[in-house]
Short mmCIF file of all heavy atoms in Angstrom, two decimals:
data_model
loop_
_atom_site.label_atom_id
_atom_site.label_comp_id
_atom_site.label_asym_id
_atom_site.label_seq_id
_atom_site.Cartn_x
_atom_site.Cartn_y
_atom_site.Cartn_z
N LEU P 1 -82.49 -14.56 22.62
CA LEU P 1 -82.96 -13.32 23.25
C LEU P 1 -84.28 -13.70 24.05
O LEU P 1 -85.20 -14.06 23.32
CB LEU P 1 -83.20 -12.22 22.19
CG LEU P 1 -83.74 -10.91 22.75
CD1 LEU P 1 -82.80 -10.27 23.72
CD2 LEU P 1 -84.07 -10.00 21.63
N THR P 2 -84.19 -13.59 25.31
CA THR P 2 -85.40 -13.92 26.04
C THR P 2 -86.44 -12.82 26.13
O THR P 2 -86.14 -11.68 25.72
CB THR P 2 -85.06 -14.36 27.50
OG1 THR P 2 -84.65 -13.12 28.25
CG2 THR P 2 -83.94 -15.39 27.48
N ARG P 3 -87.61 -13.05 26.69
CA ARG P 3 -88.61 -12.04 26.76
C ARG P 3 -88.12 -10.89 27.62
O ARG P 3 -88.53 -9.73 27.39
CB ARG P 3 -89.91 -12.65 27.30
CG ARG P 3 -90.62 -13.59 26.35
CD ARG P 3 -91.88 -14.21 26.97
NE ARG P 3 -91.49 -15.11 27.94
CZ ARG P 3 -92.37 -15.82 28.80
NH1 ARG P 3 -93.66 -15.57 28.64
NH2 ARG P 3 -92.01 -16.59 29.70
N SER P 4 -87.37 -11.28 28.61
CA SER P 4 -86.83 -10.19 29.52
C SER P 4 -85.53 -9.50 28.95
O SER P 4 -84.86 -8.78 29.74
CB SER P 4 -86.61 -10.81 30.86
OG SER P 4 -85.58 -11.85 30.84
N MET P 5 -85.23 -9.81 27.71
CA MET P 5 -84.01 -9.20 26.99
C MET P 5 -82.70 -9.75 27.50
O MET P 5 -81.66 -9.13 27.30
CB MET P 5 -84.04 -7.71 27.17
CG MET P 5 -85.32 -7.10 26.61
SD MET P 5 -85.57 -7.28 24.83
CE MET P 5 -84.41 -6.06 24.21
N THR P 6 -82.69 -10.93 28.14
CA THR P 6 -81.45 -11.57 28.45
C THR P 6 -80.91 -12.18 27.15
O THR P 6 -81.61 -12.79 26.39
CB THR P 6 -81.57 -12.74 29.39
OG1 THR P 6 -82.12 -12.08 30.63
CG2 THR P 6 -80.33 -13.47 29.70
N VAL P 7 -79.61 -12.00 26.87
CA VAL P 7 -79.02 -12.50 25.63
C VAL P 7 -77.99 -13.63 26.07
O VAL P 7 -77.29 -13.56 27.02
CB VAL P 7 -78.34 -11.46 24.82
CG1 VAL P 7 -79.43 -10.43 24.36
CG2 VAL P 7 -77.23 -10.73 25.53
N ILE P 8 -77.89 -14.62 25.19
CA ILE P 8 -76.92 -15.70 25.38
C ILE P 8 -76.39 -16.06 23.99
O ILE P 8 -77.15 -16.06 23.01
CB ILE P 8 -77.64 -17.01 25.92
CG1 ILE P 8 -78.48 -16.65 27.14
CG2 ILE P 8 -76.57 -18.04 26.34
CD1 ILE P 8 -79.38 -17.73 27.60
N TYR P 9 -75.15 -16.38 23.92
CA TYR P 9 -74.50 -16.65 22.59
C TYR P 9 -73.74 -17.98 22.69
O TYR P 9 -73.13 -18.28 23.75
CB TYR P 9 -73.53 -15.52 22.24
CG TYR P 9 -74.18 -14.21 22.08
CD1 TYR P 9 -74.10 -13.23 23.05
CD2 TYR P 9 -74.83 -13.89 20.83
CE1 TYR P 9 -74.73 -11.96 22.88
CE2 TYR P 9 -75.44 -12.64 20.69
CZ TYR P 9 -75.32 -11.71 21.67
OH TYR P 9 -76.03 -10.49 21.53
N ALA P 10 -73.55 -18.60 21.62
CA ALA P 10 -72.67 -19.76 21.50
C ALA P 10 -71.26 -19.25 21.53
O ALA P 10 -71.02 -18.02 21.03
CB ALA P 10 -72.95 -20.46 20.15
N ASP P 11 -70.36 -20.00 21.91
CA ASP P 11 -68.96 -19.58 22.14
C ASP P 11 -68.25 -19.04 20.87
O ASP P 11 -67.51 -18.07 20.96
CB ASP P 11 -68.11 -20.60 22.71
CG ASP P 11 -68.38 -20.96 24.20
OD1 ASP P 11 -69.06 -20.04 24.84
OD2 ASP P 11 -68.03 -21.99 24.75
N ASP P 12 -68.60 -19.71 19.72
CA ASP P 12 -67.89 -19.35 18.52
C ASP P 12 -68.45 -18.08 17.84
O ASP P 12 -67.92 -17.64 16.84
CB ASP P 12 -67.81 -20.48 17.56
CG ASP P 12 -69.18 -21.06 17.16
OD1 ASP P 12 -70.18 -20.63 17.71
OD2 ASP P 12 -69.19 -21.95 16.30
N VAL P 13 -69.43 -17.41 18.42
CA VAL P 13 -69.97 -16.18 17.78
C VAL P 13 -69.89 -15.07 18.92
O VAL P 13 -70.13 -13.95 18.58
CB VAL P 13 -71.39 -16.37 17.21
CG1 VAL P 13 -71.41 -17.44 16.22
CG2 VAL P 13 -72.44 -16.57 18.34
N LYS P 14 -69.68 -15.46 20.16
CA LYS P 14 -69.63 -14.41 21.18
C LYS P 14 -68.58 -13.33 20.90
O LYS P 14 -67.42 -13.68 20.50
CB LYS P 14 -69.27 -15.16 22.49
CG LYS P 14 -69.64 -14.36 23.74
CD LYS P 14 -69.29 -15.21 24.97
CE LYS P 14 -70.15 -16.44 25.09
NZ LYS P 14 -69.93 -17.25 26.33
N GLY P 15 -69.05 -12.11 21.05
CA GLY P 15 -68.14 -11.03 20.75
C GLY P 15 -68.15 -10.59 19.34
O GLY P 15 -67.63 -9.47 19.00
N ARG P 16 -68.77 -11.36 18.44
CA ARG P 16 -68.82 -11.01 17.01
C ARG P 16 -70.27 -10.82 16.58
O ARG P 16 -70.48 -9.96 15.62
CB ARG P 16 -68.21 -12.15 16.19
CG ARG P 16 -66.76 -12.38 16.38
CD ARG P 16 -66.12 -13.27 15.36
NE ARG P 16 -66.82 -14.62 15.34
CZ ARG P 16 -67.38 -15.14 14.27
NH1 ARG P 16 -67.35 -14.47 13.11
NH2 ARG P 16 -67.93 -16.36 14.33
N PHE P 17 -71.20 -11.50 17.13
CA PHE P 17 -72.61 -11.48 16.72
C PHE P 17 -73.36 -10.73 17.85
O PHE P 17 -73.03 -10.94 19.02
CB PHE P 17 -73.19 -12.79 16.48
CG PHE P 17 -72.69 -13.46 15.22
CD1 PHE P 17 -71.63 -12.97 14.51
CD2 PHE P 17 -73.18 -14.72 14.91
CE1 PHE P 17 -71.14 -13.62 13.36
CE2 PHE P 17 -72.75 -15.42 13.75
CZ PHE P 17 -71.66 -14.91 13.03
N THR P 18 -74.44 -9.99 17.51
CA THR P 18 -75.25 -9.33 18.46
C THR P 18 -76.77 -9.60 18.13
O THR P 18 -77.16 -9.19 16.99
CB THR P 18 -74.99 -7.85 18.65
OG1 THR P 18 -73.60 -7.66 18.90
CG2 THR P 18 -75.83 -7.16 19.67
N ILE P 19 -77.47 -10.05 19.06
CA ILE P 19 -78.95 -10.25 18.82
C ILE P 19 -79.71 -9.02 19.48
O ILE P 19 -79.28 -8.59 20.57
CB ILE P 19 -79.44 -11.62 19.38
CG1 ILE P 19 -80.86 -11.82 18.97
CG2 ILE P 19 -79.29 -11.76 20.82
CD1 ILE P 19 -81.39 -13.32 19.23
N SER P 20 -80.73 -8.57 18.86
CA SER P 20 -81.49 -7.44 19.39
C SER P 20 -82.93 -7.53 18.90
O SER P 20 -83.26 -8.23 17.99
CB SER P 20 -80.82 -6.10 19.00
OG SER P 20 -80.81 -5.94 17.68
N ARG P 21 -83.80 -6.68 19.53
CA ARG P 21 -85.14 -6.70 19.22
C ARG P 21 -85.68 -5.27 19.11
O ARG P 21 -85.35 -4.46 19.86
CB ARG P 21 -86.00 -7.44 20.22
CG ARG P 21 -87.36 -7.86 19.90
CD ARG P 21 -87.98 -8.54 21.08
NE ARG P 21 -88.41 -7.65 22.13
CZ ARG P 21 -88.44 -8.08 23.41
NH1 ARG P 21 -88.20 -9.35 23.74
NH2 ARG P 21 -88.81 -7.18 24.38
N ASP P 22 -86.50 -4.96 18.07
CA ASP P 22 -87.21 -3.69 17.89
C ASP P 22 -88.69 -3.92 18.02
O ASP P 22 -89.28 -4.43 17.08
CB ASP P 22 -86.81 -3.06 16.61
CG ASP P 22 -87.37 -1.70 16.38
OD1 ASP P 22 -88.41 -1.41 17.09
OD2 ASP P 22 -86.87 -0.96 15.52
N ASP P 23 -89.24 -3.57 19.13
CA ASP P 23 -90.68 -3.95 19.46
C ASP P 23 -91.54 -3.11 18.52
O ASP P 23 -92.61 -3.52 18.11
CB ASP P 23 -90.99 -3.77 20.91
CG ASP P 23 -90.38 -4.74 21.70
OD1 ASP P 23 -89.95 -5.86 21.21
OD2 ASP P 23 -90.27 -4.51 22.97
N SER P 24 -91.07 -1.91 18.12
CA SER P 24 -91.93 -1.03 17.23
C SER P 24 -92.07 -1.60 15.85
O SER P 24 -93.04 -1.36 15.21
CB SER P 24 -91.35 0.37 17.18
OG SER P 24 -90.09 0.28 16.45
N ARG P 25 -91.11 -2.41 15.44
CA ARG P 25 -91.18 -3.13 14.13
C ARG P 25 -91.52 -4.51 14.29
O ARG P 25 -91.60 -5.28 13.25
CB ARG P 25 -89.83 -2.96 13.39
CG ARG P 25 -89.46 -1.49 13.12
CD ARG P 25 -88.09 -1.48 12.51
NE ARG P 25 -87.68 0.01 12.21
CZ ARG P 25 -87.94 0.72 11.19
NH1 ARG P 25 -88.68 0.15 10.17
NH2 ARG P 25 -87.59 1.99 11.10
N ASN P 26 -91.62 -5.05 15.55
CA ASN P 26 -91.85 -6.50 15.69
C ASN P 26 -90.76 -7.36 14.93
O ASN P 26 -91.13 -8.28 14.23
CB ASN P 26 -93.23 -6.96 15.44
CG ASN P 26 -93.63 -8.21 16.07
OD1 ASN P 26 -93.18 -8.50 17.22
ND2 ASN P 26 -94.58 -8.95 15.50
N THR P 27 -89.57 -6.97 15.11
CA THR P 27 -88.50 -7.57 14.38
C THR P 27 -87.29 -7.86 15.26
O THR P 27 -86.97 -7.07 16.13
CB THR P 27 -87.96 -6.64 13.22
OG1 THR P 27 -89.10 -6.46 12.37
CG2 THR P 27 -86.90 -7.20 12.47
N VAL P 28 -86.68 -9.01 15.10
CA VAL P 28 -85.44 -9.31 15.83
C VAL P 28 -84.30 -9.34 14.83
O VAL P 28 -84.44 -9.83 13.66
CB VAL P 28 -85.53 -10.72 16.45
CG1 VAL P 28 -84.23 -11.15 17.00
CG2 VAL P 28 -86.66 -10.71 17.52
N TYR P 29 -83.18 -8.77 15.17
CA TYR P 29 -81.98 -8.66 14.34
C TYR P 29 -80.85 -9.53 14.90
O TYR P 29 -80.79 -9.87 16.19
CB TYR P 29 -81.56 -7.24 14.38
CG TYR P 29 -82.59 -6.26 13.80
CD1 TYR P 29 -83.33 -5.51 14.76
CD2 TYR P 29 -82.80 -6.10 12.48
CE1 TYR P 29 -84.31 -4.58 14.24
CE2 TYR P 29 -83.77 -5.26 12.08
CZ TYR P 29 -84.51 -4.47 12.95
OH TYR P 29 -85.45 -3.70 12.50
#
């Protein structure tokens, strides 16, 4: 997950895993 919120996944997790960020909690999921 880039600073500009671009997301990139490895092929074997694409469509199954999701990366996200909550700035209010300073946490990445």
Side-chain angles (χ1 to χ4, degrees):
L1 177 64
T2 70
R3 288 177 292 176
S4 60
M5 303 293 283
T6 298
V7 297
I8 311 167
Y9 299 99
D11 287 344
D12 58 353
V13 306
K14 196 176 299 182
R16 299 189 300 123
F17 293 3
T18 303
I19 188 171
S20 62
R21 192 179 77 207
D22 184 339
D23 291 342
S24 68
R25 298 179 185 272
N26 203 29
T27 298
V28 171
Y29 301 99

